[in-house]
Amino acid sequence: MKILFCVSEAVPLAKTGGLADVGGALPAALAAVGCDVRVVLPRYRSISERGWRPVGTVDVSSGGEAVSGTILDGTMPETAVPTWLVDQPKYFDRSGLYGEAGRDYPDNLARFGFFCRAVLAWVGRQSWKPDLIHCNDWQTALIPPLIRAERAERTPTLLTIHNLAYQGLFPAQEFALTGLPASFFTMAGLEFWGQVNVLKGGLVFADTLTSVSETYAREIQTAEFGAGLDGVLRDRARDLWGILNGVDYRVWDPSHDPLIPAQYSAGDLTGKRICKEHLQREFGLYERPDIPIVGMVTRLVDQKGLDLVEAAVEDLFAFGVQLVVLGAGDARYEQVLGELPRRYPKRAGIRIGFDNALAHRIEAGADLFLMPSRYEPSGLNQLYSLRYGTVPVVRHTGGLADSIVDTTPDTLAAGTANGFVFVAYDAPAMLQALRRALEAFRTPHTWRRVQKTGMAADFSWTASARKYHALYDRTLAQSVRG
Ligand code: ADP
């Protein structure tokens, strides 16, 4: 089965968040379960010239202007999955992917509208014809409506929702940049309270929808999590599925991670102690093995529960922990967190920025990993933490609910306890879970058990890839019948 995987970021070429981990790993996992898969993404500045060769051009008329792009052919580094890049320097040769300094680029509809149309124009001329096009998030969500509008021969589509909060909202005047006929700008199409909603176009017109955990796939059909699109999603409930993201254990495994100071495994945690010492030294914290380190690696946005951390900060330090945070995002959170090392010297280590190697060192060196998310479509860091023996403390939502089992006498006895979970979105509930986690930390026998259960868990991509494969089959069978 030939699958064209369209995505706006993929490790190791370009990354702002978890979508890139998926873009890098899922296509390789699909290939391993028998799909003939090709990836296509924009050629950003972060992608070096080496290994790519121009194989053709495409012309797209966008807002009355003719824009041409060059298609570069190559393979994804490390996994060797065949990949096309759409090169258009005016749109993509920039320092950011979607924006800079916390602000979206104003021409994002022109940029990703061009990308989607260039992809369709290009594949329309190739002998390699996809049986199905797999789109991801709003940046590629124009493809399903474009196919519906333009093509006599309809290639089936599947759209994965990685985060419903990012919808690609633009003023109505920009609708022409989508390349769609005006008849698509209605409530049954891309119109959303007078604006253009690109993601909605994908939700309405893709043959199959998925989201990145079963719980989040249910949650987004409710007003609380639906971000205004819950009605549209309820209408599509029969075609909406949840498939949890996996972990690329080639990259995220402490037994062979080259980015951490010492490797280790469940059988011998000596290396983890070295990683902890190193992390304490790196951040100028008290170098003591008995002080628990709470780690966080996150985009600093409301979704991630940073208001809870802010509200709980005094109590948190009163527990006697050290806090190490790596993150970038909203200026307000950058400032609040940035002040902590001054308020809590030798106990708070904060790094504002994006630093992949440091993310690995925190996963390895911390004892607990905190994810108090308001919502979390899948979440990857809790899965990484499990493998690194860094016990997750998470809120019960989305993919966190689907992967972390709270530690209770029963789950401990059953050997399923792998973390600590709280339900209410408030600071006391979070602190209560942390308190329980710290009690366990001081009971080595319990702690080792919870750590080992997490380290033994297998969230590799293969299981998820098989589920996608089955959904591709189902989608094709339906489109033949339809
Ligand atoms: P989201 O996709 O909402 O950002 P996920 O938990 O699914 O959340 O994935 C986040 C990914 O981005 C993880 O691989 C995490 O390590 C990485 N990440 C987030 N912020 C940073 C940062 N400041 N520096 C390095 N890596 C980061």
Side-chain angles (χ1 to χ4, degrees):
M1 184 190 305
K2 295 192 200 60
I3 303 296
L4 181 65
F5 193 91
C6 305
V7 68
S8 58
E9 49 186 281
V11 163
L13 300 178
K15 171 164 175 170
T16 67
L19 178 59
D21 298 69
V22 180
L26 177 55
L30 290 169
V33 298
C35 296
D36 174 4
V37 59
R38 274 191 160 267
V39 177
V40 59
L41 81 158
R43 189 269 168 86
Y44 301 104
R45 187 179 292 172
S46 61
I47 304 177
S48 81
E49 309 233 320
R50 272 215 320 272
W52 301 100
R53 82 194 155 86
V55 286
T57 57
V58 278
D59 297 301
V60 170
S61 97
S62 172
E65 190 193 350
V67 183
S68 66
T70 306
I71 306 299
L72 306 177
D73 187 47
T75 55
M76 197 61 80
E78 289 153 32
T79 62
V81 172
T83 300
W84 283 313
L85 302 178
V86 176
D87 190 17
Q88 180 11 276
K90 179 175 81 156
Y91 287 150
F92 301 117
D93 186 8
R94 302 184 185 181
S95 64
L97 269 51
Y98 317 124
E100 283 169 43
R103 283 232 193 85
D104 285 346
Y105 292 126
D107 58 348
N108 272 346
L109 183 54
R111 298 172 73 224
F112 289 99
F114 168 79
F115 175 67
C116 291
R117 295 169 69 197
V119 167
L120 290 178
W122 175 249
V123 290
R125 296 194 333 240
Q126 301 310 299
S127 54
W128 186 92
K129 294 240 176 298
D131 297 305
L132 180 143
I133 302 182
H134 187 154
C135 306
N136 295 277
D137 275 355
W138 78 262
Q139 293 88 343
T140 51
L142 276 177
I143 288 178
L146 283 167
I147 288 179
R148 194 64 69 99
E150 285 173 8
R151 296 283 186 96
E153 188 192 322
R154 279 189 198 158
T155 310
T157 54
L158 180 149
L159 172 67
T160 300
I161 307 155
H162 297 264
N163 192 330
L164 192 66
Y166 300 91
Q167 301 180 353
L169 281 176
F170 301 95
Q173 306 82 279
E174 292 187 22
F175 184 75
L177 295 172
T178 63
L180 290 167
S183 60
F184 279 65
F185 192 60
T186 66
M187 260 173 66
L190 281 75
E191 205 241 75
F192 184 74
W193 305 102
Q195 287 189 291
V196 181
N197 186 321
V198 174
L199 183 66
K200 185 179 171 217
L203 300 182
V204 171
F205 293 107
D207 295 284
T208 298
L209 303 175
T210 66
S211 192
V212 287
S213 68
E214 288 184 14
T215 297
Y216 189 65
R218 280 195 305 274
E219 286 173 339
I220 54 179
Q221 298 178 50
T222 66
E224 184 185 352
F225 292 94
L229 292 173
D230 44 298
V232 178
L233 288 161
R234 282 196 299 276
D235 284 347
R236 302 281 337 254
R238 271 165 18 103
D239 300 310
L240 169 60
W241 306 81
I243 301 178
L244 190 69
N245 283 338
V247 176
D248 189 345
Y249 289 120
R250 285 167 312 164
V251 179
W252 293 97
D253 188 322
S255 67
H256 55 247
D257 184 342
L259 299 175
I260 60 177
Q263 281 77 39
Y264 60 90
S265 59
D268 180 1
L269 290 170
T270 317
K272 185 161 180 67
R273 282 196 286 281
I274 298 171
C275 292
K276 178 170 178 176
E277 254 172 56
H278 188 280
L279 193 63
Q280 288 176 319
R281 194 164 322 129
E282 177 170 5
F283 279 94
L285 310 177
Y286 291 114
E287 292 176 32
R288 279 181 36 193
D290 58 315
I291 301 182
I293 302 183
V294 178
M296 293 184 82
V297 178
T298 181
R299 292 183 297 117
L300 300 177
V301 294
D302 282 334
Q303 173 201 339
K304 301 294 183 178
L306 295 151
D307 51 334
L308 298 192
V309 177
E310 188 182 357
V313 86
E314 269 179 44
D315 295 303
L316 187 74
F317 283 104
F319 285 163
V321 303
Q322 297 179 340
L323 178 70
V324 174
V325 185
L326 165 64
D330 292 357
R332 198 176 81 75
Y333 292 126
E334 291 190 353
Q335 198 201 337
V336 168
L337 290 167
E339 283 170 1
L340 293 181
R342 199 175 37 76
R343 282 173 62 195
Y344 302 97
K346 292 185 175 282
R347 295 199 288 152
I350 310 294
R351 183 75 49 83
I352 302 299
F354 193 94
D355 183 340
N356 181 52
L358 179 56
H360 285 248
R361 294 199 296 280
I362 294 175
E363 284 288 3
D367 297 292
L368 301 98
F369 200 91
L370 181 60
M371 294 181 74
S373 306
R374 190 183 288 277
Y375 68 92
E376 193 60 75
S378 170
L380 288 167
N381 278 308
Q382 85 279 14
L383 304 179
Y384 302 157
S385 300
L386 290 175
R387 184 50 66 102
Y388 283 74
T390 304
V391 175
V393 179
V394 307
R395 178 154 180 268
H396 186 85
T397 184
L400 300 174
D402 291 358
S403 55
I404 304 304
V405 178
D406 190 35
T407 299
T408 65
D410 285 350
T411 58
L412 258 183
T416 54
N418 64 7
F420 292 83
V421 181
F422 63 99
V423 176
Y425 187 81
D426 58 39
M430 181 184 81
L431 286 164
Q432 174 63 17
L434 273 167
R435 184 178 298 123
R436 290 192 293 121
L438 293 171
E439 261 167 42
F441 178 77
R442 298 197 172 96
T443 320
H445 170 72
T446 306
W447 193 249
R448 199 46 45 83
R449 225 185 135 99
V450 176
Q451 270 183 316
K452 288 206 165 157
T453 302
M455 293 180 88
D458 182 3
F459 286 98
S460 58
W461 271 106
T462 313
S464 312
R466 288 208 180 95
K467 290 182 188 164
Y468 280 108
H469 196 307
L471 269 187
Y472 296 157
D473 281 335
R474 180 183 182 274
T475 309
L476 294 187
Q478 276 186 338
S479 78
V480 170
R481 279 204 302 276

mmCIF file of all heavy atoms in Angstrom, residues 169-192:
data_model
loop_
_atom_site.group_PDB
_atom_site.id
_atom_site.type_symbol
_atom_site.label_atom_id
_atom_site.label_comp_id
_atom_site.label_asym_id
_atom_site.label_seq_id
_atom_site.Cartn_x
_atom_site.Cartn_y
_atom_site.Cartn_z
ATOM 1 N N LEU A 169 -6.462 29.560 11.866
ATOM 2 C CA LEU A 169 -7.567 30.514 11.705
ATOM 3 C C LEU A 169 -7.065 31.754 10.986
ATOM 4 O O LEU A 169 -6.040 32.329 11.372
ATOM 5 C CB LEU A 169 -8.086 30.933 13.084
ATOM 6 C CG LEU A 169 -9.017 29.969 13.801
ATOM 7 C CD1 LEU A 169 -9.347 30.495 15.192
ATOM 8 C CD2 LEU A 169 -10.304 29.762 13.001
ATOM 9 N N PHE A 170 -7.803 32.168 9.942
ATOM 10 C CA PHE A 170 -7.375 33.321 9.147
ATOM 11 C C PHE A 170 -8.592 34.164 8.780
ATOM 12 O O PHE A 170 -9.716 33.655 8.739
ATOM 13 C CB PHE A 170 -6.661 32.840 7.879
ATOM 14 C CG PHE A 170 -5.440 31.985 8.181
ATOM 15 C CD1 PHE A 170 -5.544 30.602 8.208
ATOM 16 C CD2 PHE A 170 -4.221 32.575 8.497
ATOM 17 C CE1 PHE A 170 -4.438 29.809 8.520
ATOM 18 C CE2 PHE A 170 -3.112 31.794 8.815
ATOM 19 C CZ PHE A 170 -3.221 30.409 8.827
ATOM 20 N N PRO A 171 -8.361 35.461 8.484
ATOM 21 C CA PRO A 171 -9.486 36.321 8.098
ATOM 22 C C PRO A 171 -10.147 35.836 6.802
ATOM 23 O O PRO A 171 -9.472 35.282 5.929
ATOM 24 C CB PRO A 171 -8.836 37.695 7.864
ATOM 25 C CG PRO A 171 -7.463 37.614 8.425
ATOM 26 C CD PRO A 171 -7.085 36.175 8.495
ATOM 27 N N ALA A 172 -11.458 36.080 6.712
ATOM 28 C CA ALA A 172 -12.227 35.622 5.542
ATOM 29 C C ALA A 172 -11.625 36.127 4.235
ATOM 30 O O ALA A 172 -11.650 35.417 3.216
ATOM 31 C CB ALA A 172 -13.673 36.094 5.665
ATOM 32 N N GLN A 173 -11.053 37.334 4.265
ATOM 33 C CA GLN A 173 -10.503 37.906 3.017
ATOM 34 C C GLN A 173 -9.380 37.046 2.449
ATOM 35 O O GLN A 173 -9.038 37.165 1.282
ATOM 36 C CB GLN A 173 -9.906 39.317 3.226
ATOM 37 C CG GLN A 173 -10.781 40.357 3.863
ATOM 38 C CD GLN A 173 -10.795 40.218 5.379
ATOM 39 O OE1 GLN A 173 -11.523 39.364 5.906
ATOM 40 N NE2 GLN A 173 -9.992 41.016 6.089
ATOM 41 N N GLU A 174 -8.792 36.210 3.273
ATOM 42 C CA GLU A 174 -7.672 35.397 2.769
ATOM 43 C C GLU A 174 -8.123 34.078 2.156
ATOM 44 O O GLU A 174 -7.299 33.270 1.734
ATOM 45 C CB GLU A 174 -6.676 35.111 3.917
ATOM 46 C CG GLU A 174 -5.960 36.347 4.394
ATOM 47 C CD GLU A 174 -4.857 36.017 5.413
ATOM 48 O OE1 GLU A 174 -4.376 34.871 5.429
ATOM 49 O OE2 GLU A 174 -4.507 36.924 6.181
ATOM 50 N N PHE A 175 -9.433 33.846 2.107
ATOM 51 C CA PHE A 175 -9.907 32.532 1.671
ATOM 52 C C PHE A 175 -9.337 32.111 0.318
ATOM 53 O O PHE A 175 -9.022 30.927 0.096
ATOM 54 C CB PHE A 175 -11.442 32.482 1.632
ATOM 55 C CG PHE A 175 -11.961 31.121 1.285
ATOM 56 C CD1 PHE A 175 -11.943 30.087 2.217
ATOM 57 C CD2 PHE A 175 -12.415 30.838 -0.002
ATOM 58 C CE1 PHE A 175 -12.378 28.813 1.895
ATOM 59 C CE2 PHE A 175 -12.854 29.558 -0.340
ATOM 60 C CZ PHE A 175 -12.837 28.549 0.612
ATOM 61 N N ALA A 176 -9.159 33.101 -0.593
ATOM 62 C CA ALA A 176 -8.663 32.764 -1.944
ATOM 63 C C ALA A 176 -7.322 32.031 -1.882
ATOM 64 O O ALA A 176 -6.997 31.232 -2.764
ATOM 65 C CB ALA A 176 -8.533 34.029 -2.786
ATOM 66 N N LEU A 177 -6.545 32.266 -0.816
ATOM 67 C CA LEU A 177 -5.225 31.627 -0.707
ATOM 68 C C LEU A 177 -5.325 30.109 -0.513
ATOM 69 O O LEU A 177 -4.348 29.395 -0.666
ATOM 70 C CB LEU A 177 -4.440 32.230 0.468
ATOM 71 C CG LEU A 177 -4.063 33.699 0.321
ATOM 72 C CD1 LEU A 177 -3.470 34.223 1.624
ATOM 73 C CD2 LEU A 177 -3.078 33.876 -0.824
ATOM 74 N N THR A 178 -6.516 29.624 -0.168
ATOM 75 C CA THR A 178 -6.676 28.177 -0.017
ATOM 76 C C THR A 178 -6.711 27.474 -1.365
ATOM 77 O O THR A 178 -6.478 26.266 -1.442
ATOM 78 C CB THR A 178 -7.997 27.819 0.713
ATOM 79 O OG1 THR A 178 -9.097 28.271 -0.104
ATOM 80 C CG2 THR A 178 -8.077 28.448 2.088
ATOM 81 N N GLY A 179 -7.052 28.245 -2.416
ATOM 82 C CA GLY A 179 -7.188 27.618 -3.733
ATOM 83 C C GLY A 179 -8.505 26.873 -3.889
ATOM 84 O O GLY A 179 -8.723 26.196 -4.891
ATOM 85 N N LEU A 180 -9.398 27.003 -2.906
ATOM 86 C CA LEU A 180 -10.686 26.298 -2.974
ATOM 87 C C LEU A 180 -11.745 27.206 -3.596
ATOM 88 O O LEU A 180 -11.677 28.436 -3.460
ATOM 89 C CB LEU A 180 -11.125 25.911 -1.556
ATOM 90 C CG LEU A 180 -10.314 24.815 -0.871
ATOM 91 C CD1 LEU A 180 -10.645 24.771 0.623
ATOM 92 C CD2 LEU A 180 -10.610 23.463 -1.522
ATOM 93 N N PRO A 181 -12.753 26.611 -4.251
ATOM 94 C CA PRO A 181 -13.861 27.431 -4.748
ATOM 95 C C PRO A 181 -14.612 28.090 -3.586
ATOM 96 O O PRO A 181 -14.642 27.544 -2.470
ATOM 97 C CB PRO A 181 -14.769 26.424 -5.459
ATOM 98 C CG PRO A 181 -14.166 25.094 -5.300
ATOM 99 C CD PRO A 181 -12.891 25.195 -4.534
ATOM 100 N N ALA A 182 -15.210 29.256 -3.866
ATOM 101 C CA ALA A 182 -15.921 30.009 -2.822
ATOM 102 C C ALA A 182 -17.006 29.162 -2.169
ATOM 103 O O ALA A 182 -17.361 29.376 -1.005
ATOM 104 C CB ALA A 182 -16.510 31.285 -3.419
ATOM 105 N N SER A 183 -17.527 28.168 -2.894
ATOM 106 C CA SER A 183 -18.612 27.332 -2.337
ATOM 107 C C SER A 183 -18.140 26.544 -1.107
ATOM 108 O O SER A 183 -18.957 26.027 -0.347
ATOM 109 C CB SER A 183 -19.130 26.363 -3.396
ATOM 110 O OG SER A 183 -18.072 25.522 -3.819
ATOM 111 N N PHE A 184 -16.831 26.446 -0.878
ATOM 112 C CA PHE A 184 -16.335 25.748 0.311
ATOM 113 C C PHE A 184 -16.317 26.654 1.545
ATOM 114 O O PHE A 184 -16.058 26.181 2.646
ATOM 115 C CB PHE A 184 -14.921 25.190 0.072
ATOM 116 C CG PHE A 184 -14.908 23.890 -0.674
ATOM 117 C CD1 PHE A 184 -15.350 23.813 -1.991
ATOM 118 C CD2 PHE A 184 -14.463 22.716 -0.070
ATOM 119 C CE1 PHE A 184 -15.349 22.611 -2.681
ATOM 120 C CE2 PHE A 184 -14.460 21.508 -0.741
ATOM 121 C CZ PHE A 184 -14.911 21.447 -2.049
ATOM 122 N N PHE A 185 -16.555 27.949 1.328
ATOM 123 C CA PHE A 185 -16.533 28.854 2.482
ATOM 124 C C PHE A 185 -17.955 28.997 3.046
ATOM 125 O O PHE A 185 -18.584 30.044 2.963
ATOM 126 C CB PHE A 185 -15.941 30.211 2.098
ATOM 127 C CG PHE A 185 -15.631 31.076 3.300
ATOM 128 C CD1 PHE A 185 -14.738 30.648 4.264
ATOM 129 C CD2 PHE A 185 -16.250 32.308 3.469
ATOM 130 C CE1 PHE A 185 -14.470 31.429 5.383
ATOM 131 C CE2 PHE A 185 -15.982 33.096 4.587
ATOM 132 C CZ PHE A 185 -15.088 32.648 5.538
ATOM 133 N N THR A 186 -18.452 27.897 3.596
ATOM 134 C CA THR A 186 -19.767 27.904 4.246
ATOM 135 C C THR A 186 -19.607 27.176 5.571
ATOM 136 O O THR A 186 -18.561 26.566 5.847
ATOM 137 C CB THR A 186 -20.816 27.124 3.431
ATOM 138 O OG1 THR A 186 -20.428 25.736 3.434
ATOM 139 C CG2 THR A 186 -20.906 27.635 2.001
ATOM 140 N N MET A 187 -20.692 27.184 6.355
ATOM 141 C CA MET A 187 -20.643 26.481 7.644
ATOM 142 C C MET A 187 -20.410 24.980 7.479
ATOM 143 O O MET A 187 -19.877 24.321 8.366
ATOM 144 C CB MET A 187 -21.934 26.697 8.408
ATOM 145 C CG MET A 187 -21.789 27.768 9.456
ATOM 146 S SD MET A 187 -23.362 28.143 10.198
ATOM 147 C CE MET A 187 -23.757 26.629 11.043
ATOM 148 N N ALA A 188 -20.824 24.453 6.310
ATOM 149 C CA ALA A 188 -20.597 23.021 6.070
ATOM 150 C C ALA A 188 -19.179 22.772 5.563
ATOM 151 O O ALA A 188 -18.796 21.634 5.317
ATOM 152 C CB ALA A 188 -21.609 22.502 5.051
ATOM 153 N N GLY A 189 -18.411 23.854 5.402
ATOM 154 C CA GLY A 189 -17.046 23.722 4.907
ATOM 155 C C GLY A 189 -16.068 24.380 5.867
ATOM 156 O O GLY A 189 -16.044 24.073 7.064
ATOM 157 N N LEU A 190 -15.271 25.331 5.351
ATOM 158 C CA LEU A 190 -14.179 25.889 6.161
ATOM 159 C C LEU A 190 -14.555 27.124 6.966
ATOM 160 O O LEU A 190 -13.728 27.647 7.700
ATOM 161 C CB LEU A 190 -12.986 26.249 5.263
ATOM 162 C CG LEU A 190 -12.093 25.081 4.840
ATOM 163 C CD1 LEU A 190 -12.775 24.236 3.773
ATOM 164 C CD2 LEU A 190 -10.751 25.573 4.326
ATOM 165 N N GLU A 191 -15.798 27.602 6.815
ATOM 166 C CA GLU A 191 -16.163 28.808 7.553
ATOM 167 C C GLU A 191 -16.373 28.508 9.033
ATOM 168 O O GLU A 191 -16.949 27.477 9.396
ATOM 169 C CB GLU A 191 -17.448 29.388 6.946
ATOM 170 C CG GLU A 191 -17.581 30.858 7.182
ATOM 171 C CD GLU A 191 -18.812 31.208 7.977
ATOM 172 O OE1 GLU A 191 -18.779 30.971 9.207
ATOM 173 O OE2 GLU A 191 -19.782 31.697 7.414
ATOM 174 N N PHE A 192 -15.891 29.399 9.860
ATOM 175 C CA PHE A 192 -15.977 29.197 11.309
ATOM 176 C C PHE A 192 -16.124 30.573 11.931
ATOM 177 O O PHE A 192 -15.167 31.335 11.977
ATOM 178 C CB PHE A 192 -14.694 28.508 11.775
ATOM 179 C CG PHE A 192 -14.653 28.146 13.241
ATOM 180 C CD1 PHE A 192 -15.386 27.080 13.737
ATOM 181 C CD2 PHE A 192 -13.841 28.859 14.114
ATOM 182 C CE1 PHE A 192 -15.318 26.725 15.080
ATOM 183 C CE2 PHE A 192 -13.765 28.519 15.455
ATOM 184 C CZ PHE A 192 -14.512 27.446 15.944
#
